[in-house]
Amino acid sequence: MKGMSIIVKKVAQLISGLIFLYGIYIITHGHLTPGGGFAGGAIIAGAYILNILAFGSDAMNLKNKEQGSSLSESLAIFIVLMLAVFALFIGSKIFFANYLPKGQLGEIISAGAIPLYNIFIGIEVAAAIITIFLALVIFKEEVKK
Amino acid sequence: MELTLSILIGFMILGAIFAIHAKDLLSAVITTGIVGYSLVIAFLLLKAPDLAIVQIVIETITLIIMVAVVLDSTREELKVKPDFKSYSNIVLSIIFAAVLLFFFVQATAELNLFGDHTLRMAEAYVDQAAEKTGSINLVTGILFDFRGYDTLGEATILFAAALGVLTVLRIKGKK
């Protein structure tokens, strides 16, 4: 896959950082405003895909990136499971219990364990979509050779 | 409101029918985008911004991938001659659709009017979710607290999908 023209490259450089920040905002404010782990993760993956489409697959070292994304995907879903299991050791008898203190309604640090779940689900979704996209791109490159 | 939704749904049906009958596969892929983006507007009209955000991003990413696949392989549709099997499939699907329609009509007569919030569980969630979970966004509160298993299942499905894509593509790429 070849990269696109210089205009597309510059615009992608300018925009992708903003899209990435917006995705992080959606994830971390998941318990306050619409959105959450799934929406924010998909937006972060969109920022990565925009960069890969604009700069082409030759410019970036895709194989290493794919290893990193699949590793972070596996780690993130493992941590989500561990967060859910951790409640059992603390003393609540419910899987997926909200064991941290609830805090003030409407503050950023509130809602107990929900922001933590949001963050790791966001990492999981972003890494999964990037991994699928990278696998398709690498497959295409390998078939061409 | 209902009129706008009906127009949107009619638009989606038109797009789907065009996508089936288009000669050029690229235009077929783009017209399936009509269905997805109209669904985004429908979600916004029905006051579900959480779903709308997810739908618009996923729709865009899948459209990009589909357009890339069509541009890379072929834009011509395969010509297949209809035989006995395809005719029997058409008859079977028409019978199935008729049976489903019959039971759907009976089921919708039992339901509340469109837009009525009189479901028992939904009322309990709307009244108490903010206190019990501590999260103002009720959707996130329900997804990660009352319905934690749902979220875990969805994340596991995505994990399995990525795993499957990696496995299938790796084998073919190696030969």
Side-chain angles (χ1 to χ4, degrees), chain A residues 77-140:
Chain A
I77 197 163
F78 180 70
I79 292 174
V80 168
L81 261 179
M82 283 303 111
L83 278 175
V85 170
F86 192 59
L88 300 178
F89 289 102
I90 274 187
S92 78
K93 305 227 167 15
I94 317 161
F95 194 60
F96 256 104
N98 198 351
Y99 46 87
L100 292 177
K102 300 271 161 53
Q104 182 87 34
L105 258 185
E107 297 279 317
I108 279 221
I109 300 180
S110 69
I114 288 177
L116 285 177
Y117 286 133
N118 252 335
I119 288 168
F120 288 108
I121 289 281
I123 294 174
E124 212 277 327
V125 172
I129 295 176
I130 294 167
T131 310
I132 292 174
F133 186 77
L134 284 181
L136 289 172
V137 171
I138 290 172
F139 174 68
K140 197 179 146 193

Side-chain angles (χ1 to χ4, degrees), chain A residues 30-31 33-35 38-39 42-43 53 66 73 77 95-96 98 102 105-106 111 117-118 124-125 135-136 139-140, chain B residues 49-50 53-54 57 64 72 132-137 140 144-145 148-149 152 154-155 158-159 162 166 169-170 172-173:
Chain A
H31 53 297
T33 53
F38 276 95
I43 290 172
L53 284 180
E66 194 200 19
E73 181 204 17
I77 197 163
F95 194 60
F96 256 104
N98 198 351
K102 300 271 161 53
L105 258 185
Y117 286 133
N118 252 335
E124 212 277 327
V125 172
L136 289 172
F139 174 68
K140 197 179 146 193
Chain B
D50 299 77
I53 294 173
V54 176
V57 179
I64 287 172
D72 200 49
K132 285 199 171 173
T133 64
S135 137
I136 291 187
N137 183 6
T140 306
F144 285 96
D145 199 303
Y149 285 109
L152 190 65
E154 283 174 47
L158 251 179
F159 180 71
L166 281 179
L169 292 186
R170 207 43 59 78
K172 279 193 177 168

Side-chain angles (χ1 to χ4, degrees), chain A residues 8 19 21 28 42 54 56 78 92 98 136 142:
Chain A
V8 181
I19 299 176
L21 269 183
T28 50
F78 180 70
S92 78
N98 198 351
L136 289 172
E142 277 181 351

